[in-house]
């Protein structure tokens, strides 16, 4: 059986290399502690304290840790039950210049699931003090077509297989046509907003939860900028989402952008940015040399089983150059590795650092070295 990095470098159970997993490691913060705890989480605390939905945009270069940050936020909300939230995370998929907001509606609703919506709609009457779903949604200004779609979920009993009418309504809410194309697709900006506002209203009334929708990798929305009508459509939906009149659901975008100038125009409309607010526009910077060292130390502390390493040291398997503080590097190689990112700040991002660390570990293992040394780093171009 082939030797693995896990065995060679005494990695903790569940670790196969030196790369974090955004879901499995969501409880951990490796870097950007201030931005996550003092800005993003503080923004959420403020929203709950003021009774307003969470509204936020997190941006930074590719690989800087935005996706990990929002997964940590989801975990943090779960650990703090005083913030009653239902978070729904999706990654923005394929986008073209004609893509409309249903490219987000569809994955959001599919992530929530048809059975969950059946439960919410069927429990609405009791939770709302006797108000039926039609009257409840009309009372908050939801359009007739969306109201009737949600009312169709009443035709399916909780725990049973959805009937065709419910399935058709679910497809229509996601942006598809109804059976036989007898009813056209939802196309208006207000319709798409209404779908999400209704869902947020249901979660609040039935489960007492604040719905927070998270759209990851929104930089892909720059594809719609070349079509004026499509861009206007996205501008309109986003203005409604982030407007003060939206009291029904929160929304977080993450996107790859090195500065505010690089944010897609459909998210950088002055009215949208004004509604989000400067304090809720959070940038994750590339790491400085000091931050790189902190990140590396935090990472290795979580990934390496030092008890197992010390057994190898005691057995003489790992040589005299070993230092617990710099393992799996020799001390000179550790300083060289950190210094490299200080001289290459444009690429000083967690993803790049972890990729290079994993590459260096593999080369060291192939050469039979228990420690990553200067020659190993030189072999990978550092």
């Amino acid at each position: 059986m082939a030797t693995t990095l896990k065995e060679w470098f005494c990695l903790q159970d569940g670790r196969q290399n030196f790369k974090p997993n955004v879901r499995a490691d969501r409880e951990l913060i490796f870097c950007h502690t201030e931005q996550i705890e003092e800005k993003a989480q503080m923004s959420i605390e403020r929203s709950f304290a003021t009774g307003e939905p969470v509204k936020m945009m997190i941006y930074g270069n590719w690989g800087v840790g935005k996706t990990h940050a929002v997964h940590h936020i989801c975990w943090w909300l779960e650990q703090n039950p005083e913030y009653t939230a239902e978070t729904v995370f999706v990654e923005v998929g394929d986008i073209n210049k004609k893509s409309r907001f249903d490219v987000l509606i569809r994955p959001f609703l599919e992530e929530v699931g048809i059975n969950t919506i059946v439960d919410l709609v069927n429990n609405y009457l009791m939770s709302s003090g006797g108000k039926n779903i039609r009257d409840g949604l009309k009372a908050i200004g939801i359009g007739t077509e969306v109201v009737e779609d949600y009312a169709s979920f009443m035709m399916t009993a909780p725990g049973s297989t959805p009937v065709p009418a419910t399935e058709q309504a679910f497809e229509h809410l996601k942006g598809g046509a109804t059976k036989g194309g007898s009813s056209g697709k939802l196309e208006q900006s207000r319709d798409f907003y209404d779908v999400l506002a209704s869902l947020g209203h249901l979660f609040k009334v039935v489960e007492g939860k604040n719905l927070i929708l998270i759209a990851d990798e929104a930089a892909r929305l720059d594809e719609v900028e070349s079509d004026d009508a499509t861009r206007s459509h996205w501008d309109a939906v986003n203005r409604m989402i982030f407007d003060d009149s939206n009291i029904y659901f929160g929304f977080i975008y993450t996107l790859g952008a090195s500065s505010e100038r690089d944010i897609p125009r459909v998210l950088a409309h002055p009215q949208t940015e004004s509604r989000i607010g400067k304090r809720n526009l959070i940038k994750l910077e590339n790491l400085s040399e000091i931050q790189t060292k902190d990140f590396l130390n935090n990472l290795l502390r979580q990934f390496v089983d030092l008890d197992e390493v010390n057994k190898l040291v005691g057995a003489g398997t790992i040589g005299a150059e070993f230092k617990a503080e710099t393992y799996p590097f020799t001390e000179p190689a550790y300083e060289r590795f950190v210094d490299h990112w200080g001289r290459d700040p444009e690429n000083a991002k967690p993803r790049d650092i972890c990729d290079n660390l994993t590459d260096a570990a593999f080369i060291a293992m192939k050469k039979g070295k228990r420690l990553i040394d200067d020659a190993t780093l030189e072999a990978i171009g550092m």
Side-chain angles (χ1 to χ4, degrees):
M1 183 179 294
T3 305
T4 65
L5 294 184
K6 173 180 173 56
E7 298 163 339
W8 194 256
F9 288 105
C10 302
L11 301 186
Q12 299 274 9
D13 287 344
R15 305 294 184 187
Q16 302 302 321
N17 50 53
F18 290 95
K19 301 177 184 181
N21 180 288
V22 291
R23 293 186 184 273
D25 293 319
R26 63 194 192 122
E27 77 275 16
L28 303 174
I29 298 179
F30 297 105
C31 57
H32 300 115
T33 303
E34 178 183 352
Q35 288 84 352
I36 294 172
E37 293 186 343
E38 298 181 21
K39 293 186 178 180
Q41 291 176 190
M42 185 72 73
S43 174
I44 293 171
E45 291 174 356
R46 185 187 300 110
S47 294
F48 275 87
T50 58
E52 299 172 316
V54 172
K55 300 172 183 178
M56 195 184 307
M57 191 181 298
I58 301 175
Y59 72 100
N61 283 321
W62 299 103
V64 80
K66 303 177 295 298
T67 302
H68 186 93
V70 290
H71 277 293
H72 178 78
I73 290 169
C74 292
W75 173 86
W76 174 78
L77 284 166
E78 292 171 7
Q79 306 309 304
N80 292 275
E82 66 269 30
Y83 303 123
T84 51
E86 179 74 19
T87 58
V88 184
F89 175 93
V90 302
E91 183 175 328
V92 177
D94 294 336
I95 299 287
N96 61 57
K97 68 178 184 179
K98 295 289 186 179
S99 294
R100 300 176 76 78
F101 197 77
D102 58 323
V103 298
L104 286 183
I105 293 283
R106 180 172 291 277
F108 276 134
L109 291 187
E110 289 177 344
E111 188 68 23
V112 172
I114 189 170
N115 293 322
T116 296
I117 300 176
V118 165
D119 291 344
L120 291 171
V121 170
N122 278 275
N123 289 317
Y124 184 83
L125 184 69
M126 182 179 295
S127 301
S128 64
K131 186 178 292 185
N132 68 53
I133 187 66
R134 285 187 175 88
D135 291 342
L137 293 182
K138 287 178 181 177
I140 64 170
I142 303 302
T144 301
E145 200 168 3
V146 173
V147 168
E148 290 305 316
D149 279 339
Y150 274 103
S152 295
F153 285 76
M154 286 289 294
M155 298 180 186
T156 297
S160 64
T161 302
V163 301
T166 300
E167 292 180 330
Q168 291 166 26
F170 189 50
E171 178 61 25
H172 193 237
L173 289 172
K174 291 188 292 183
T178 56
K179 185 177 180 181
S182 58
S183 177
K185 298 178 179 181
L186 297 178
E187 292 185 347
Q188 299 303 311
S189 303
R190 176 72 198 199
D191 292 335
F192 292 128
Y193 168 79
D194 280 354
V195 172
L196 299 181
S198 300
L199 189 61
H201 177 68
L202 285 167
F203 270 109
K204 187 67 174 178
V205 171
V206 178
E207 297 190 356
K209 293 180 178 179
N210 295 282
L211 178 63
I212 303 174
L213 303 171
I214 303 170
D216 192 35
E217 304 290 7
R220 294 171 183 169
L221 294 177
D222 58 10
E223 294 293 329
V224 306
E225 294 180 3
S226 61
D227 185 86
D228 290 341
T230 306
R231 186 176 67 250
S232 296
H233 163 79
W234 279 88
D235 284 340
V237 179
N238 283 319
R239 285 199 301 272
M240 284 185 274
I241 288 173
F242 293 112
D243 192 77
D244 288 342
S245 62
N246 172 22
I247 60 173
Y248 307 107
F249 65 96
F251 208 100
I252 300 174
Y253 276 116
T254 77
L255 58 145
S258 59
S259 70
E260 289 187 39
R261 295 189 303 273
D262 299 318
I263 294 174
R265 289 170 62 190
V266 296
L267 296 176
H269 191 286
Q271 291 186 35
T272 300
E273 288 193 336
S274 175
R275 286 164 166 79
I276 295 174
K278 281 291 185 183
R279 68 170 173 243
N280 299 320
L281 188 62
I282 299 170
K283 182 179 183 183
L284 301 187
E285 300 276 3
N286 288 10
L287 303 182
S288 67
E289 188 169 337
I290 293 175
Q291 291 169 333
T292 297
K293 182 174 288 190
D294 288 341
F295 168 74
L296 191 58
N297 291 342
N298 290 337
L299 182 81
L300 295 174
R301 195 158 48 239
Q302 293 294 333
F303 277 54
V304 173
D305 186 339
L306 272 179
D307 289 339
E308 291 300 313
V309 172
N310 284 324
K311 291 178 183 177
L312 295 181
V313 173
T317 305
I318 298 178
E321 289 187 281
F322 166 80
K323 279 195 172 183
E325 297 81 4
T326 61
Y327 184 83
F329 298 90
T330 64
E331 186 174 12
Y334 174 87
E335 297 299 335
R336 177 174 180 159
F337 188 82
V338 172
D339 179 68
H340 170 85
W341 303 108
R343 290 181 286 104
D344 187 19
E346 290 185 5
N347 293 309
K349 298 166 290 187
R351 183 181 298 164
D352 292 67
I353 293 169
C354 292
D355 285 347
N356 278 268
L357 172 55
T358 297
D359 288 347
F362 173 72
I363 294 299
M365 183 182 74
K366 287 289 288 182
K367 293 181 178 296
K369 297 179 179 180
R370 288 287 181 170
L371 297 172
I372 298 170
D373 59 12
D374 282 338
T376 304
L377 295 182
E378 188 172 342
I380 64 168
M382 297 186 73

